[in-house]
Amino acid sequence: MVLDALPPAERVAFVLHDLFGVPFDDIAVVLDRTPAATRQLASRGRRRARAADPEPNPDLARRREVVAAFFAASREGDLSRLLSVLDPDVVVRPDAAALEMGSPAMAGADTVARFFNGGAAAARQMLIDGTPGAVWSHRGKVMVAFEFTVREGRVVSIDLHGDPALLDALDLDRH
């Protein structure tokens, strides 16, 4: 229902890029727009979709605790603790740039936990557009942003953003 409310061009840009990882240059050809305009359409679609689907767990402090527990378990290599903070149907959705850097799309708590188990040492937690998340930087430059969706005390999705234009548009807050 949320997608039906988006204007057609925003819906195409948002769905193709965010859900299927299609590069903005390719989407621009389909929409007969510039890649920059297509990037903006996807961004607007993303914002409208988020606004139409309010976070089911509005307690920011609790959501931050869950994300902190995810990273602590990941860094310590505590698979059972990592599984305890993941929803059984958790999904990881990398954009095209994050895919190119080696971040795979995946689903299921066991798959996601095994991928992150013992990792994430270089990730720094922060709020991303007001949502609990983290960033991974290389030589002082943010390369990937991790946006977490938490429901009922568990991580249900992790969106990995590596697109430089999108990273530049994100509001990153370390507090």
Side-chain angles (χ1 to χ4, degrees), residues 10-121:
E10 282 182 19
R11 181 177 3 176
V12 168
F14 170 62
V15 169
L16 288 178
H17 182 265
D18 285 31
L19 300 181
F20 295 105
V22 176
F24 286 119
D25 290 340
D26 295 345
I27 300 168
V29 172
V30 171
L31 294 176
D32 194 29
R33 310 229 178 150
T34 67
T38 304
R39 188 175 293 112
Q40 184 61 36
L41 286 169
S43 179
R44 273 195 301 245
R46 190 177 307 109
R47 280 193 306 269
R48 288 181 202 224
R50 284 187 184 148
D53 185 21
E55 180 65 41
N57 180 1
D59 183 0
L60 180 60
R62 176 65 182 132
R63 289 183 286 146
R64 289 177 86 170
E65 287 174 10
V66 171
V67 172
F70 170 89
F71 280 108
S74 174
R75 288 181 181 121
E76 294 166 14
D78 188 338
L79 186 63
S80 64
R81 208 165 98 219
L82 193 52
L83 284 166
S84 75
V85 297
L86 295 173
D87 184 84
D89 298 317
V90 62
V91 294
V92 175
R93 298 180 293 242
D95 66 11
L99 275 169
E100 286 180 27
M101 287 185 253
S103 298
M106 59 189 113
D110 190 59
T111 301
V112 173
R114 290 189 188 285
F115 180 80
F116 284 102
N117 192 37

